[in-house]
């Protein structure tokens, strides 16, 4: 009986389509005529036009989100780092509130230890490197000039008529002008600077409070949001929340662990070969490694300049250490920790980094990949729903999307 009704419905659609009464494309879009589509497009354009002229009304909302976004992002990162520890404590029968308290005490102790033991040493190394880096850079230019004048490119280089001393004086003058302009800019914009600093401090202060409630109720938050949705949408929303949670968790936990491993390996390797500022360069490699592809290039640049100025042998030692670190990371650490959870093509990663960096600066470079992963989860699921809806309204079986069930059965 159900099969007969289905055939009758399909036949009716085909007949109506032939008579020009019903189009499966219009039905797919949710309407009954071409006028529905045209009116929908017109309304969308009208909404965009009106918004462009009254956008000032939404300024308080923009300010609210720009103020809230930083502490929420920091608290979310900390939540995904600390959630496995909280779950471990719950497995050994520690109540959730006491587990959160233990985690907070441990985090405060670790931060205090880093501030009083590691930070002063890093501050001294950073200060010395800032003072000596212009000397390293100048020596690098002199060494490059001497090499080019005695190489096979000497005739071409001589034709360029480059004076290293003039170039160095120009660079030093530009650096001095840069610092002068920067100080002047800071002095003229001291009010905005203090305002931004105050906002950042307030954001840091509010992170523990947001983190506490995320650890306490974070796992129940998706269910509360799902209950507010219509029943027909709840199953799809639950899948989206589950996939998004898995993507963020895998990326944050994996990227932080990989970064720590890289920082430790680089520091140990530089200490072994006697590289100056080994610990500082290791910390730089740890922080920049959260940016795929571009991070290692940023981290290796100051190390290469120091190694070239020190001695040619140091450059070979640096190349050996960096190669070993990258091999260990690429073959053992990243595959074991990160796996293939994101499944993003390298070319896509580069495009995402360039685009996000152009739009949002440093924050875009750091958050571009996890943001893309979340967007990919949402778009992928919406595309699955699109295929189901398309197949429902397409009367020709040959034009249906292939679903997973038919692939598994070999149809």
């Amino acid at each position: 009986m159900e099969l007969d009704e289905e055939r009758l419905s399909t036949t009716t659609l085909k007949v109506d389509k032939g008579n020009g009464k019903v189009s499966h494309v219009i039905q797919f879009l949710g309407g009954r005529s071409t006028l529905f589509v045209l009116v929908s497009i017109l309304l969308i354009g009208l909404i965009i036009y009106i918004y462009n002229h009254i956008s000032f009304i939404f300024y308080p909302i923009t300010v609210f989100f720009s103020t809230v976004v930083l502490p929420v992002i920091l608290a979310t990162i900390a939540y995904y780092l600390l959630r496995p520890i909280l779950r471990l404590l719950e497995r050994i029968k520690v109540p959730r509130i006491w587990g959160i308290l233990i985690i907070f005490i441990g985090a405060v102790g670790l931060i205090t230890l880093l501030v009083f033991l590691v930070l002063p040493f890093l501050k001294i190394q950073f200060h010395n490197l800032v003072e000596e880096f212009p000397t390293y850079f100048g020596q690098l230019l002199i060494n490059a000039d001497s090499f080019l004048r005695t190489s096979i490119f000497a005739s071409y280089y001589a034709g360029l008529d480059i004076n290293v001393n003039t170039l160095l004086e120009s660079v030093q003058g530009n650096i001095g002008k840069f610092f002068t302009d920067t100080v002047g800019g800071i002095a003229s914009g001291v009010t905005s600077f203090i305002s931004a600093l105050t906002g950042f401090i307030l954001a840091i202060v509010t992170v523990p409070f947001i983190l506490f409630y995320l650890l306490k109720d974070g796992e129940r938050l998706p269910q509360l949001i799902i209950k507010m949705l219509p029943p027909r949408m709840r199953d799809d929303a639950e899948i989206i929340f589950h996939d998004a949670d898995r993507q963020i968790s895998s990326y944050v936990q994996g990227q932080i662990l990989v970064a720590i491993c890289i920082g430790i390996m680089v520091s140990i390797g530089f200490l072994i070969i006697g590289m100056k500022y080994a610990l500082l360069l290791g910390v730089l490699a740890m922080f920049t490694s959260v940016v795929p592809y571009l991070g290692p290039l940023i981290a290796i640049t100051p190390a290469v300049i120091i190694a070239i100025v020190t001695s040619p042998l140091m450059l070979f030692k640096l190349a050996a250490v960096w190669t070993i670190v990258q091999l260990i990371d690429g073959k053992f650490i990243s595959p074991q920790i990160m796996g293939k959870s994101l499944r993003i093509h390298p070319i896509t990663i580069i495009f995402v980094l360039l685009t996000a960096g152009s739009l949002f600066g440093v924050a875009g470079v750091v958050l571009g990949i996890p943001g893309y992963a979340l967007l990919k989860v949402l778009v992928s699921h919406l595309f699955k729903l699109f295929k189901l809806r398309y197949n429902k309204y397409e009367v020709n079986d040959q034009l249906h999307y292939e679903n997973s069930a038919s692939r598994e059965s070999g149809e």
Side-chain angles (χ1 to χ4, degrees):
M1 184 66 180
E2 293 179 358
L3 184 59
D4 293 337
E5 290 178 356
E6 183 179 353
R7 288 178 178 174
L8 180 60
S9 175
T10 304
T11 305
T12 304
L13 276 174
K14 291 180 178 178
V15 171
D16 289 342
K17 181 182 178 183
N19 294 332
K21 295 180 180 179
V22 178
S23 169
H24 71 274
V25 175
I26 302 300
Q27 246 190 359
F28 166 74
L29 294 173
R32 294 183 176 274
S33 65
T34 308
L35 181 63
F36 166 81
V37 179
L38 296 177
V39 171
S40 299
I41 295 174
L42 182 62
L43 287 176
I44 292 173
L46 184 62
I47 290 171
I48 295 173
Y49 176 80
I50 294 175
Y51 175 78
N52 286 333
H53 285 75
I54 62 170
S55 57
F56 61 91
I57 296 177
F58 302 96
Y59 178 72
I61 300 176
T62 304
V63 172
F64 172 76
F65 279 105
S66 62
T67 305
V68 168
V69 67
L70 178 60
V72 168
I73 289 175
L74 294 177
T76 302
I77 293 173
Y79 166 72
Y80 281 106
L81 287 176
L82 300 176
R83 187 175 65 175
I85 302 176
L86 181 60
R87 288 177 175 176
L88 180 63
L89 292 174
E90 287 185 320
R91 285 197 197 102
I92 59 176
K93 307 304 181 181
V94 177
R96 178 173 285 262
I97 296 297
W98 285 104
I100 296 173
L101 182 61
I102 292 172
I103 289 174
F104 271 57
I105 293 174
V108 170
L110 180 61
I111 294 173
T112 304
L113 188 66
L114 292 175
V115 168
F116 284 99
L117 295 183
V118 180
L119 192 60
F121 182 71
L122 290 178
K123 181 180 178 182
I124 294 173
Q125 284 205 342
F126 179 75
H127 184 267
N128 294 338
L129 179 60
V130 169
E131 286 187 344
E132 296 180 6
F133 195 77
T135 305
Y136 283 118
F137 186 74
Q139 188 62 44
L140 175 65
L141 291 179
I142 294 173
N143 291 346
D145 179 71
S146 301
F147 171 76
L148 290 173
R149 290 186 184 279
T150 57
S151 66
I152 59 176
F153 306 104
S155 58
Y156 299 99
Y157 182 69
L160 297 176
D161 193 22
I162 296 177
N163 190 323
V164 177
N165 294 326
T166 304
L167 182 61
L168 285 175
E169 291 176 0
S170 175
V171 170
Q172 291 175 354
N174 290 333
I175 292 175
K177 184 176 183 301
F178 169 76
F179 280 109
T180 302
D181 294 342
T182 303
V183 172
I186 292 176
S188 62
V190 64
T191 303
S192 59
F193 175 76
I194 293 176
S195 176
L197 182 62
T198 304
F200 180 77
I201 293 175
L202 289 175
I204 297 298
V205 171
T206 56
V207 165
F209 297 97
I210 300 175
L211 177 60
F212 173 81
Y213 286 104
L214 282 178
L215 290 172
K216 181 175 177 291
D217 301 319
E219 295 184 352
R220 292 187 294 179
L221 182 61
Q223 295 299 325
L224 295 176
I225 297 176
I226 290 172
K227 288 181 180 179
M228 291 188 293
L229 299 175
R232 184 178 296 179
M233 300 174 58
R234 290 176 185 175
D235 290 340
D236 295 321
E238 188 172 2
I239 295 173
I240 292 175
F241 274 116
H242 178 267
D243 291 344
D245 178 75
R246 180 175 54 82
Q247 292 279 5
I248 298 177
S249 177
S250 300
Y251 183 82
V252 171
Q253 297 172 9
Q255 201 67 43
I256 297 298
L257 289 176
V258 169
I260 292 174
C261 292
I262 290 177
I264 293 174
M265 288 191 297
V266 170
S267 299
I268 293 175
F270 285 175
L271 287 172
I272 292 174
I273 65 176
M275 171 75 74
K276 294 185 67 175
Y277 311 110
L279 183 58
L280 180 63
L281 294 174
V283 172
L284 177 62
M286 179 181 69
F287 280 105
T288 56
S289 62
V290 299
V291 181
Y293 302 109
L294 300 180
L297 181 63
I298 298 172
I300 195 64
T301 301
V304 168
I305 295 175
I306 295 173
I308 292 175
V309 174
T310 303
S311 68
L313 180 60
M314 181 59 70
L315 183 61
F316 285 109
K317 291 180 180 178
L318 170 65
V321 169
W322 197 259
T323 302
I324 292 172
V325 169
Q326 294 301 315
L327 285 175
I328 295 175
D329 173 51
K331 298 295 183 182
F332 300 102
I333 297 177
S334 291
Q336 294 298 323
I337 295 177
M338 295 291 291
K340 297 182 179 180
S341 56
L342 294 183
R343 295 183 179 90
I344 302 176
H345 195 277
I347 296 297
T348 305
I349 291 177
I350 294 174
F351 285 153
V352 169
L353 291 176
L354 293 176
T355 305
S358 300
L359 291 175
F360 307 108
V362 177
V365 173
V366 175
L367 301 175
I369 301 303
Y372 172 80
L374 291 179
L375 184 63
K376 182 181 176 183
V377 169
L378 180 61
V379 173
S380 298
H381 194 77
L382 290 178
F383 184 63
K384 291 179 182 177
L385 296 178
F386 165 81
K387 290 192 293 185
L388 292 175
R389 183 176 177 84
Y390 180 86
N391 289 347
K392 178 181 178 182
Y393 289 104
E394 176 54 62
V395 296
N396 188 351
D397 293 341
Q398 300 298 323
L399 298 179
H400 281 186
Y401 279 100
E402 184 182 9
N403 55 39
S404 58
S406 61
R407 284 198 300 268
E408 292 173 359
S409 61
E411 296 179 357

